[in-house]
Amino acid sequence: GEDVEQSLFLSVREGDSSVINCTYTDSSSTYLYWYKQEPGAGLQLLTYIFSNMDMKQDQRLTVLLNKKDKHLSLRIADTQTGDSAIYFCAESTNDYKLSFGAGTTVTVRA
Amino acid sequence: GAVVSQHPSRVICKSGTSVKIECRSLDFQATTMFWYRQFPKKSLMLMATSNEGSKATYEQGVEKDKFLINHASLTLSTLTVTSAHPEDSSFYICSARTLDRNAEAFFGQGTRLTVV
């Protein structure tokens, strides 16, 4: 989606932290999401954040939201080889239709 | 919980034929289902939104006579690609939403359609 932008590639060493960034343009976005897609598979919802929150943590995942700058990030602590996948940022307004970014391909190297 | 099953996972069909893809919510009632198309190394493009018992709402540029969507029950939506052409080859993914978990959309595994 042209309204959601994210970097296309990220390479990270196993055990390090990964940070994937996303920007969006719709100021009326209600929810912001991170999805994971492995090759040939559907999308797995990792986490989401309501627009009036600025942080959400769930085990190894930390989501930060800067609503003023319309910037969302996903931090994966202690990145593992199983974290290699495409990560999609998405936003929705009250109609719950999702607008996706192009996806960030995360490659974890040993 | 909240499992969405999509079938088939892969299908190859000849040009001019029609293909039906099923999307089922296995452990919840899906009040709304969404159909997306994903091009190689591209984002997902929303094709249409379907609510149980009513006509689907198509996004701009999506031919409703080409991509027939039926949402006959709270657990099943189907997408039929009619008179398929090679340019319809793509990865189609459905997602489902339920009223009690409004913010979350759960995705099927996707269907790889190849038209030869």
Side-chain angles (χ1 to χ4, degrees), chain B:
Chain B
V3 178
V4 176
S5 176
Q6 198 172 327
H7 177 80
S9 57
R10 290 179 178 271
V11 59
I12 300 173
C13 71
K14 291 184 178 180
S15 287
T17 62
S18 295
V19 174
K20 181 184 284 188
I21 302 169
E22 291 187 349
C23 179
R24 292 181 185 274
S25 58
L26 297 186
D27 52 1
F28 66 100
Q29 293 186 326
T31 48
T32 307
M33 286 188 171
F34 303 89
W35 287 94
Y36 294 84
R37 181 173 177 175
Q38 186 179 29
F39 295 93
K41 302 194 186 303
K42 295 284 187 184
S43 182
L44 284 77
M45 179 193 79
L46 178 65
M47 298 174 67
T49 304
S50 74
N51 293 295
E52 184 263 339
S54 60
K55 288 184 178 180
T57 303
Y58 290 81
E59 295 298 303
Q60 192 173 4
V62 178
E63 300 174 60
K64 61 181 181 181
D65 295 330
K66 172 95 177 142
F67 299 98
L68 300 179
I69 292 171
N70 184 283
H71 192 162
S73 77
L74 283 171
T75 59
L76 174 65
S77 177
T78 61
L79 167 67
T80 302
V81 182
T82 62
S83 187
H85 290 283
E87 56 265 30
D88 298 326
S89 298
S90 193
F91 194 60
Y92 293 88
I93 310 178
C94 70
S95 75
R97 185 171 72 85
T98 182
L99 281 177
D100 60 350
R101 295 174 74 171
N102 265 344
E104 299 177 50
F106 301 97
F107 283 78
Q109 311 94 309
T111 297
R112 171 70 60 193
L113 170 63
T114 304
V115 184
V116 297

Side-chain angles (χ1 to χ4, degrees), chain A residues 32-77:
Chain A
L32 296 124
Y33 304 81
W34 285 103
Y35 283 88
K36 177 183 180 182
Q37 185 181 35
E38 298 188 40
L43 272 68
Q44 174 195 353
L45 176 64
L46 290 177
T47 187
Y48 68 96
I49 189 168
F50 189 50
S51 60
N52 68 354
M53 298 168 64
D54 53 20
M55 188 185 90
K56 183 177 180 180
Q57 187 157 3
D58 183 3
Q59 299 182 335
R60 292 192 296 125
L61 305 178
T62 303
V63 178
L64 295 178
L65 173 62
N66 182 327
K67 193 173 181 180
K68 173 177 169 290
D69 295 338
K70 300 189 187 67
H71 181 268
L72 182 75
S73 68
L74 174 68
R75 179 177 179 269
I76 306 172

